[in-house]
Amino acid sequence: MPAVIKQDFAHRLGLMMGLYSTALFVGAAAAAAFTVPLMTALDGSWRGALAFWAVPAVLALLVWLPRAVRGSASVAGTPGDAIAEPRDEPRMSVLLRDPVAWAVTVFMGLQSLSYYAALTWIPTMLQDAGVPLADAGLLLSYSSFPGVAAALLAPMMLRRIRPTWLPVLLSTLLCAAGLIGLLIVPGGVAPWVWMTLLGLGQGTAITLSLTYIVLRAPDAAHTAHLSTMAQGIGYLLAGFGPIGLGILHAAVGGWALPVAALVLLLGVQTVAGAAASRERHVRAGGR
């Protein structure tokens, strides 16, 4: 998707990346809000409730296939393209040695790790604090709404706020405040405040990470390769988040250490994001 946006909407990158991030959050909100009611409607079958979410995935595939077939040639540079064919063909081996590409990849991976770890375990944290299961799912779903607002506003922050690392720091502070707040004051109306902060931070972070993929590449072909690296390695890294948090929780029997680990990783995420925010491009394949 970042490569398609770079090619077809180069003149409206901020708007389109904001809409793309918003779509991600709307999907996450729907899944968080409706999985438990689906399980109830299916006589308590969690397997059926999870299997239901294969339906939109298949629909997305059917919608995407015609565009993917047409786009395979245009990304390489067909006549009439708005984006000129790159002077140097990008090579993944070059990107793997590029510090800019690694900054984008690490930032993408760590913000995704934080998001998926929170998505997996925050309902359990809330239940351990006495919040009913359905309410815990509702709180998780609610956090996507401030996330949507942040996703739409983050591209404007990129254009207007200097220094360039300030939006990265803001997203980190919001996420850290939300996580620490959930740990310290998990009851009453406070979780709504913490989930608002967390949603704002996560929405900003995901939009920044996806937008950096587009901004740090000089053309659509390089964007496709950088996107492959950042999302491929990044989501592989992110997959360890829920697992690692669960292992820590099982080992210590509480949430203080897992939350502390997430906050520590947010610090590393800030450093990588600050490096990714610098206005420069990855190296071209022939250099």
Side-chain angles (χ1 to χ4, degrees):
M1 287 300 297
V4 172
I5 292 173
K6 180 80 168 184
Q7 177 172 291
D8 294 347
F9 302 97
H11 58 298
R12 306 182 76 180
L13 287 179
L15 174 63
M16 296 308 298
M17 293 307 297
L19 292 176
Y20 175 39
S21 303
T22 297
L24 296 178
F25 265 94
V26 169
F34 295 120
T35 298
V36 172
L38 274 171
M39 184 175 68
T40 303
L42 295 171
D43 297 325
S45 171
W46 62 265
R47 292 177 178 83
L50 292 182
F52 172 84
W53 298 109
V55 175
V58 172
L59 292 176
L61 175 63
L62 295 176
V63 171
W64 177 253
L65 277 176
R67 177 60 179 82
V69 172
R70 293 196 308 269
S72 60
S74 63
V75 170
T78 57
D81 254 347
I83 300 298
E85 187 173 353
R87 192 179 309 168
D88 294 307
E89 184 65 23
R91 294 197 301 266
M92 187 61 68
S93 60
V94 175
L95 286 182
L96 289 172
R97 300 192 301 269
D98 191 293
V100 179
W102 275 109
V104 173
T105 298
V106 172
F107 182 60
M108 179 74 194
L110 289 180
Q111 68 82 25
S112 298
L113 184 152
S114 175
Y115 174 75
Y116 287 116
L119 190 72
T120 303
W121 290 110
I122 279 180
T124 304
M125 289 176 60
L126 292 171
Q127 288 179 75
D128 289 350
V131 177
L133 174 62
D135 291 346
L138 182 61
L139 277 162
L140 184 64
S141 179
Y142 161 77
S143 70
S144 297
F145 292 99
V148 166
L152 290 172
L153 293 174
M156 290 187 288
M157 295 170 58
L158 283 175
R159 294 196 304 267
R160 300 179 182 180
I161 295 181
R162 291 294 182 273
T164 58
W165 49 261
L166 200 55
V168 175
L169 179 62
L170 176 62
S171 69
T172 299
L173 293 176
L174 288 169
C175 288
L179 290 170
I180 294 171
L182 284 171
L183 179 66
I184 297 175
V185 188
V189 298
W192 295 95
V193 177
W194 310 135
M195 295 305 286
T196 298
L197 297 178
L198 186 61
L200 290 171
Q202 291 174 337
T204 302
I206 182 61
T207 304
L208 291 176
S209 65
L210 292 169
T211 304
Y212 289 151
I213 293 174
V214 176
L215 294 180
R216 299 300 159 250
D219 49 54
H222 282 83
T223 303
H225 282 250
L226 181 57
S227 181
T228 298
M229 176 178 172
Q231 297 198 64
I233 298 175
Y235 282 125
L236 180 63
L237 175 63
F240 289 101
I243 298 171
L245 215 68
I247 291 172
L248 280 176
H249 175 61
V252 301
W255 291 108
L257 184 59
V259 170
L262 280 182
V263 172
L264 180 63
L265 288 175
L266 284 173
V268 181
Q269 174 183 316
T270 304
V271 174
S277 73
R278 295 178 58 190
E279 295 177 348
R280 51 185 178 164
H281 285 155
V282 297
R283 290 194 298 266
R287 297 181 184 135

